[in-house]
């Protein structure tokens, strides 16, 4: 018991320290590239953990906003447009709205899901570039580049394919080899040719602006060392880069599709997508507040030191969020740096990597047509690739739905409501006198809600969810041990205490499961006849249901998934 109290106070102290140090929390999920449909790999990497974190923060009363959107420039989109004979705008419109809809269907609670093709973003990223330019931080360098005489254009990144100098793969792209994963530049390719026409390019000089990333290595190193709570995968990845030595980076490209350079004599050049895309987080925050009473409010989030900035992302984006973007923010000097960058590993599909380009993925839109969004969220959350790659299996989705959500949570709620309907006129019965067994389960709600909170505070989403389900397991045990089916015959007042306690537990579940099961949480609140605004994390441990208050009719939370559905 003493051990439990010490643990309880440690959790409380962590939470208190957090809320004192920071006045507000700014959460981002990696922008989704608007070149294809979003799949479960994206959900597991950067979207679901962020949404769960934000939902927890809102319930805990933190001032939090959640920013995401579509990343809409870059060579891949221009390339698809040329191949399909349509404009880049048609491509981004299609995927921006489709993906936005998929995320809504899965209950993602962004404060804004905007896009980088807006005028706000164009101006904001140009302003950002201009600040660094005016400070004299950027420098120009002429470099050799591949140029197609036939197309009258430079062939940047994916516009050129050729043989990989590392592994000999003949279809390697100008920016990377998909076969061996090497990062490449177009000039390194052997036997280069235009992706569009197959033409052999010539070498021509072009002038680009460079960001002096090498100058920021020491500051970045110190900054990352000062973070004791970052995931080891992120820290080790960055250390690897520091060991090799950071190189200055060209931040402009010879392309048509992108944000034009805000400086003279730069026709045909745009800002490199990985320079402007992360600025999209800022642009989208500006857009969020632009029509509010206080349009400058975005500055409170981005330009105050008491903001806790947290970037959620997949491991393929660590370089940009832990090195490149922070260096840009350091150079600009007006912005807060990330407090944490909790990158996830990959969630593979039945044993191999999910990939949009290879068509090996489960698209959110398709899976939503067949299954409960909460079942999808729960299956991913309980198998989240927090420390290593994990696999998504359809059989796992069925098992999690039937054996955990249905058999543990759904069953407890159902049993409780059946008793309340049948023996107590569909109201909350009175609890007169608690026995030791009742007090124990009521106390355990308190300890669970603080341990679950601590998992959320520390980005341990898998643990948070399994701990929440453990409370339901305890609740089922309580139901079985107290035997309300016997009590109703021998001592109705005793049965009332048990069912009252079980209903209070249902209310706690509606709060504690909200981050991962928002739709079921809403249903449960409706059944309990409580409005969603009335719930807070703190109140999960309080006995808020009043005796005599009317309940609504029970609804099925999770229907059984049959083998035939999974075979399909
Ligand atoms: Zn290769």
């Amino acid at each position: 018991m003493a051990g439990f109290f010490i643990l309880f106070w440690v959790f409380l102290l962590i939470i208190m320290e957090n809320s004192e140090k920071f006045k507000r929390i700014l959460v981002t999920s990696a922008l989704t590239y608007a070149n294809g449909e979003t799949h479960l790999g994206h959900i597991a990497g950067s979207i679901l953990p962020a949404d769960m974190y934000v939902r927890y923060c809102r319930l805990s009363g933190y001032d939090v906003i959640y920013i995401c959107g579509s990343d809409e420039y870059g060579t891949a989109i221009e390339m698809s447009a040329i191949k399909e004979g349509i404009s880049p705008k048609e491509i981004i419109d299609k995927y921006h709205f489709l993906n936005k809809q998929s995320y809504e269907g899965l209950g993602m609670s962004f404060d804004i899901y905007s896009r980088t093709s807006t005028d706000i973003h164009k101006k904001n990223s140009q302003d950002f570039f201009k600040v660094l330019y005016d400070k004299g931080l950027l420098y120009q360098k002429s470099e050799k580049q591949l140029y197609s005489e036939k197309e009258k254009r430079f062939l940047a990144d994916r516009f050129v394919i050729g043989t990989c100098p590392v592994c000999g793969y003949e279809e390697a792209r100008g920016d990377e080899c998909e076969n061996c994963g090497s990062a490449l530049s177009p000039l390194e390719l052997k036997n280069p040719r235009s992706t569009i026409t197959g033409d052999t390019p010539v070498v021509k000089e072009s002038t680009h602006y460079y960001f002096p990333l090498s100058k920021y290595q020491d500051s970045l190193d110190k900054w990352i060392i000062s973070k004791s709570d970052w995931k080891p995968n992120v820290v080790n990845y960055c250390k690897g880069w520091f060991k090799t030595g950071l190189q200055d980076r060209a931040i402009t490209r010879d392309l048509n599709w992108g944000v034009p350079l805000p400086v003279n004599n730069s026709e045909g050049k745009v800002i490199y997508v990985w320079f402007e895309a992360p600025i999209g987080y800022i642009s989208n925050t500006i857009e969020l507040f632009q029509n509010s009473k206080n349009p400058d409010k975005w500055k409170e989030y981005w330009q105050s030191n008491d903001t806790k900035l947290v970037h959620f992302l997949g491991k393929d984006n660590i370089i940009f969020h832990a090195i490149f973007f922070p260096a840009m923010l350091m150079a600009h000097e007006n912005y807060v740096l990330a407090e944490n960058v909790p990158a996830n590993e990959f969630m593979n599909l039945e044993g191999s990597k999910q990939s949009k380009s290879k068509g090996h993925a489960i698209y959110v839109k398709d899976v939503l047509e067949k299954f409960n969004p909460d079942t999808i969220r729960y299956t991913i959350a309980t198998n989240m690739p927090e420390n290593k790659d994990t696999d998504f299996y359809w059989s796992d989705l069925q098992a999690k739905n039937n054996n955990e959500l249905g058999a543990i949570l759904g069953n407890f709620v159902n049993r409780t409501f059946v008793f309340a309907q049948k023996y107590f006129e569909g109201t909350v019965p009175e609890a007169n006198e608690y026995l030791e067994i009742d007090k124990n389960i009521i106390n355990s709600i308190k300890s669970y809600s603080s341990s679950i909170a601590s998992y959320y505070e520390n980005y341990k989403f898998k643990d948070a969810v399994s701990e929440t389900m453990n409370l339901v397991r305890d609740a089922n045990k309580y139901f079985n041990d107290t035997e309300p089916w016997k009590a109703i015959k021998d001592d109705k007042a005793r049965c009332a205490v048990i069912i009252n306690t079980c209903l209070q537990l249902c209310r706690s579940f509606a709060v504690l499961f909200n981050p991962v099961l928002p739709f079921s949480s809403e249903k449960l609140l409706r059944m309990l006849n409580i409005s969603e605004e009335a719930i807070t994390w703190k109140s999960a441990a309080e006995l808020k249901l009043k005796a005599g208050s009317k309940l609504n009719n029970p609804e099925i939370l999770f229907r059984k998934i049959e083998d035939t559905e999974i075979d399909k």
Side-chain angles (χ1 to χ4, degrees):
M1 206 61 184
F4 157 68
F5 275 112
I6 292 167
L7 217 59
F8 179 77
W9 283 108
V10 169
F11 288 141
L12 211 65
L13 280 172
I14 293 169
I15 295 168
M16 275 163 55
E17 187 197 19
N18 234 326
S19 53
E20 272 167 23
K21 198 166 156 196
F22 299 107
K23 279 215 174 92
R24 62 194 80 72
I25 305 175
L26 172 59
V27 175
T28 70
S29 283
L31 302 184
T32 307
Y33 201 55
N35 191 34
E37 287 181 40
T38 185
H39 56 68
L40 295 191
H42 296 131
I43 303 297
S46 65
I47 308 280
L48 182 60
D51 186 63
M52 289 171 65
Y53 181 70
V54 167
R55 285 176 176 275
Y56 159 77
C57 289
R58 289 195 192 112
L59 286 169
S60 300
Y62 295 132
D63 173 354
V64 57
I65 55 169
Y66 180 18
I67 308 293
C68 192
S70 296
D71 172 7
E72 304 188 310
Y73 291 123
T75 56
I77 284 168
E78 192 173 351
M79 176 84 68
S80 304
I82 294 171
K83 276 185 183 165
E84 292 179 35
I86 54 176
S87 68
K89 175 95 171 79
E90 281 173 273
I91 297 214
I92 61 170
D93 279 351
K94 177 179 167 189
Y95 291 112
H96 171 71
F97 292 109
L98 204 104
N99 290 338
K100 191 169 186 239
Q101 208 176 8
S102 292
Y103 291 141
E104 276 166 12
L106 263 189
M108 299 308 165
S109 60
F110 310 115
D111 287 280
I112 185 166
Y113 188 86
S114 189
R115 50 203 308 200
T116 55
S117 61
T118 62
D119 288 342
I120 291 181
H121 177 66
K122 180 181 168 189
K123 181 178 183 306
N124 185 43
S125 50
Q126 286 183 334
D127 287 351
F128 197 111
F129 184 98
K130 199 79 192 333
V131 167
L132 305 196
Y133 178 86
D134 289 343
K135 284 183 169 189
L137 288 170
L138 307 179
Y139 65 89
Q140 276 184 296
K141 200 168 98 180
S142 176
E143 57 178 31
K144 291 191 172 71
Q145 288 212 311
L146 298 178
Y147 182 84
S148 164
E149 300 278 11
K150 201 168 173 182
E151 296 161 60
K152 299 261 173 295
R153 65 183 296 161
F154 285 99
L155 302 179
D157 302 334
R158 298 178 186 212
F159 277 89
V160 52
I161 51 171
T163 305
C164 171
V166 181
C167 74
Y169 179 60
E170 289 179 3
E171 303 288 316
R173 298 192 320 227
D175 54 351
E176 73 162 326
C177 171
E178 274 206 311
N179 190 50
C180 69
S182 302
L184 302 172
S185 80
L187 279 169
E188 289 176 275
L189 294 174
K190 292 180 200 158
N191 185 26
R193 54 204 187 275
S194 160
T195 312
I196 306 291
T197 61
D199 220 26
T200 301
V202 296
V203 175
K204 222 175 155 178
E205 295 262 318
S206 177
T207 303
H208 284 288
Y209 284 95
Y210 276 72
F211 178 77
L213 188 60
S214 59
K215 274 192 192 168
Y216 293 90
Q217 174 156 341
D218 285 348
S219 314
L220 288 165
D221 201 358
K222 270 185 206 136
W223 172 62
I224 290 171
I225 286 170
S226 75
K227 305 293 183 188
S228 56
D229 57 344
W230 282 27
K231 287 187 178 184
N233 63 340
V234 179
V235 175
N236 291 335
Y237 182 89
C238 294
K239 279 183 182 163
W241 275 86
F242 297 148
K243 209 171 170 189
T244 324
L246 298 180
Q247 304 287 317
D248 293 353
R249 290 213 161 200
I251 55 166
T252 55
R253 287 288 187 274
D254 294 296
L255 287 172
N256 301 318
W257 181 240
V259 176
L261 291 200
V263 291
N264 291 333
N265 302 320
S266 54
E267 283 71 40
K269 290 187 196 296
V270 298
I271 303 179
Y272 179 37
V273 65
W274 261 109
F275 185 88
E276 56 76 11
I279 298 173
Y281 299 136
I282 305 170
S283 309
N284 293 355
T285 315
I286 294 173
E287 187 182 335
L288 173 64
F289 292 110
Q290 69 169 343
N291 294 322
S292 73
K293 274 182 206 152
N294 181 6
D296 276 342
K297 199 170 167 67
W298 69 271
K299 290 183 184 165
E300 286 177 22
Y301 288 93
W302 280 100
Q303 300 186 341
S304 322
N305 283 328
D306 47 10
T307 291
K308 178 181 182 176
L309 169 61
V310 185
H311 295 304
F312 286 87
L313 57 145
K315 64 177 165 189
D316 50 336
N317 277 330
I318 295 174
I319 171 91
F320 300 108
H321 290 83
I323 293 181
F324 202 41
F325 188 45
M328 287 162 58
L329 298 175
M330 284 174 180
H332 193 291
E333 289 180 310
N334 277 346
Y335 288 97
V336 66
L337 300 179
E339 176 61 23
N340 210 322
V341 183
N344 270 352
E345 304 287 308
F346 291 140
M347 177 176 265
N348 299 317
L349 171 56
E350 309 237 341
S352 59
K353 190 187 167 201
Q354 299 200 50
S355 153
K356 232 175 350 195
S357 53
K358 289 180 184 150
H360 180 71
I362 301 172
Y363 299 106
V364 174
K365 182 173 66 83
D366 299 337
V367 71
L368 271 175
E369 279 171 14
K370 296 184 180 69
F371 300 109
N372 180 339
D374 278 354
T375 296
I376 304 166
R377 291 173 69 109
Y378 183 81
T379 307
I380 297 174
T382 48
N383 193 21
M384 204 172 262
E386 289 174 353
N387 302 309
K388 58 175 177 30
D389 285 5
T390 60
D391 279 289
F392 178 90
Y393 291 99
W394 287 109
S395 54
D396 191 38
L397 177 125
Q398 183 190 23
K400 293 272 165 68
N401 180 81
N402 294 353
N403 307 341
E404 295 181 22
L405 293 172
I408 303 174
L409 176 59
N411 184 41
F412 179 83
V413 171
N414 187 53
R415 291 202 284 178
T416 301
F417 270 79
V418 164
F419 259 85
Q421 295 289 345
K422 204 168 167 189
Y423 302 110
F424 301 100
E425 293 90 39
T427 60
V428 180
E430 202 156 344
N432 290 326
E433 199 188 343
Y434 289 117
L435 303 182
E436 204 55 32
I437 190 170
D438 311 319
K439 288 178 193 160
N440 285 345
I441 190 79
I442 290 166
N443 280 331
S444 76
I445 309 175
K446 282 194 191 92
S447 63
Y448 271 107
S449 64
S450 43
S451 62
I452 298 164
S454 154
Y455 287 130
Y456 278 115
E457 298 275 348
N458 292 294
Y459 315 107
K460 295 190 168 164
F461 303 103
K462 220 195 263 194
D463 290 339
V465 175
S466 70
E467 189 75 343
T468 317
M469 199 47 100
N470 283 338
L471 172 59
V472 193
R473 288 192 175 93
D474 287 3
N476 273 303
K477 186 172 185 309
Y478 169 80
F479 196 101
N480 293 339
D481 291 350
T482 51
E483 302 179 313
W485 57 90
K486 278 190 188 158
I488 191 65
K489 291 180 195 140
D490 312 335
D491 182 356
K492 194 174 178 187
R494 174 64 199 143
C495 185
V497 177
I498 298 165
I499 297 307
N500 178 300
T501 307
C502 289
L503 285 165
Q504 305 285 359
L505 278 159
C506 288
R507 191 189 158 281
S508 305
F509 300 156
V511 180
L512 302 177
F513 272 115
N514 177 282
V516 64
L517 308 174
F519 297 97
S520 309
S521 161
E522 206 177 299
K523 253 188 195 176
L524 205 40
L525 291 173
R526 197 161 55 227
M527 288 158 64
L528 292 162
N529 204 5
I530 311 170
S531 83
E532 203 163 346
E533 290 77 50
I535 63 164
T536 61
W537 194 268
K538 191 170 156 274
S539 78
E542 294 164 6
L543 308 180
K544 287 271 189 184
L545 290 178
K546 294 273 174 297
S549 60
K550 187 96 188 91
L551 302 168
N552 286 324
N553 285 332
E555 302 171 45
I556 297 289
L557 290 182
F558 301 96
R559 65 164 186 89
K560 194 173 176 223
I561 297 177
E562 304 295 341
D563 291 346
T564 49
E565 296 175 74
I566 293 300
D567 293 343
K568 274 186 201 158

